[in-house]
């Protein structure tokens, strides 16, 4: 495995740690580890900047989907400072995945996320 592949996999692993952190302190720590200070997250439903706003967005997702976890789907594809990967939001109770999509991330020189562009492929009605 190349150094760049490790870099992308490490960044994506930290990304999922943040999205799956439950307690506010753990969430804040995971967001800080995954994103640069001025990092951004943008998808069709949200556009936020900075650790506090990103943590708030993630906390909101947990409130909307209690008992669900974000899981990667397939391989991570990357080049230069950019990577893309697919994911789904899975019920820990029954394994259903009502939400799925893919994200494109841009990394800074330290391997932390500078920006996320999210695309939603499957979303339940009313979301």
């Amino acid at each position: 495995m190349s150094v760049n592949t490790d870099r992308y996999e490490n960044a994506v692993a930290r990304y999922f740690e943040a999205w799956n952190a439950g307690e506010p302190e753990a969430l804040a720590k995971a967001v800080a580890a995954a994103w640069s200070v001025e990092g951004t997250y943008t998808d069709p439903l949200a556009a936020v900047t900075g650790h506090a706003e990103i943590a708030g967005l993630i906390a909101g997702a947990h409130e909307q989907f209690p008992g669900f976890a974000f899981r990667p789907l397939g391989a991570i594809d990357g080049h230069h400072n950019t990577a893309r990967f697919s994911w789904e939001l899975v019920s820990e109770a029954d394994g259903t995945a009502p939400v799925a999509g893919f994200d494109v991330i841009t990394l800074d020189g330290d391997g932390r996320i500078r920006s996320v562009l999210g695309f939603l492929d499957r979303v339940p009605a009313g979301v």
Side-chain angles (χ1 to χ4, degrees):
M1 184 178 299
S2 74
V3 172
N4 281 340
T5 300
D6 286 348
R7 183 171 188 244
Y8 305 133
E9 289 184 1
N10 290 337
V12 172
R14 288 191 309 271
Y15 177 83
F16 282 105
E17 286 173 22
W19 275 98
N20 289 319
E23 298 299 318
E25 186 175 314
L27 175 56
K29 184 177 179 180
V31 167
W35 271 270
S36 63
V37 173
E38 294 298 321
T40 63
Y41 177 91
T42 306
D43 71 18
L45 304 173
V48 296
T49 300
H51 292 172
E53 289 184 9
I54 293 167
L57 175 71
I58 292 170
H62 286 278
E63 289 174 14
Q64 188 172 7
F65 294 96
F68 283 75
F70 287 88
R71 301 284 185 244
L73 283 176
I76 300 163
D77 183 25
H79 61 83
H80 296 86
N81 288 323
T82 305
R84 66 179 177 164
F85 55 92
S86 296
W87 54 267
E88 62 184 354
L89 184 61
V90 179
S91 168
E92 295 173 343
D94 65 13
T96 59
V99 183
F102 78 93
D103 291 346
V104 177
I105 61 173
T106 303
L107 304 178
D108 68 11
D110 294 327
R112 290 173 39 196
I113 298 169
R114 197 171 8 156
S115 69
V116 176
L117 296 176
F119 296 84
L120 302 173
D121 297 327
R122 183 174 59 241
V123 179
V127 173

